[in-house]
Amino acid sequence: VGGGTLMGLSKLLLQAETIEHIEEYALEGDLSMIDLRIKDITAKLGGTSGGNLADDLTASNFGNVSDVATRSDMARGILNMVYETIAMVSVFAARYCGVRNIVLTGNLTRLALCKPKFDELNAMYTDVNFVIPERAQYATVIGSTLTENKK
């Protein structure tokens, strides 16, 4: 899950073919028009989550798509789903391996919504730490250069 999923879904649903267009749309989007959140469920039940779960926690990606959802709302929903999927798979793997720090790399880290999303997830999952290093989009090239220099 990552850039390929983002690009494929965006091409199908938004007719957007560049990451710049997807980001431009997503920055204007409203997740409440797309995702079902804990507060949506608890409001229907007449209460709150009781503090155990964050009200803005996603219960279901694309589980609350509005009839009036815009292209921007869908772009935000796609990007949110990709980031949350990356986060959950990483959290489960880190916990299994006894690792605390999860280093994020690749082009998706340079998008404006990435850092705020993973800061939010850092607050939620206190047993792991998402780290986005400087120039994370170049990690593969930097790693291969370092490896090549050791030969």
Side-chain angles (χ1 to χ4, degrees), residues 32-34 64-70 73-74:
S32 70
M33 301 297 280
I34 300 294
N64 197 32
V65 177
S66 169
D67 292 342
V68 295
T70 66
D73 300 334
M74 288 187 285

Side-chain angles (χ1 to χ4, degrees), residues 46-119:
T48 65
S49 66
N52 294 334
L53 297 172
D55 284 341
D56 283 329
L57 182 68
T58 303
S60 177
N61 295 105
F62 283 81
N64 197 32
V65 177
S66 169
D67 292 342
V68 295
T70 66
R71 179 183 293 200
S72 292
D73 300 334
M74 288 187 285
R76 185 75 173 251
I78 292 168
L79 196 55
N80 189 62
M81 180 178 65
V82 169
Y83 284 147
E84 288 183 344
T85 301
I86 290 168
M88 292 313 308
V89 169
S90 299
V91 167
F92 293 144
R95 287 175 178 168
Y96 180 79
C97 295
V99 173
R100 177 164 162 60
N101 291 318
I102 299 168
V103 180
L104 302 168
T105 63
N107 282 325
L108 293 181
T109 61
R110 69 179 177 84
L111 301 182
L113 294 172
C114 183
K115 183 166 177 11
K117 183 63 186 182
F118 282 94
D119 286 347

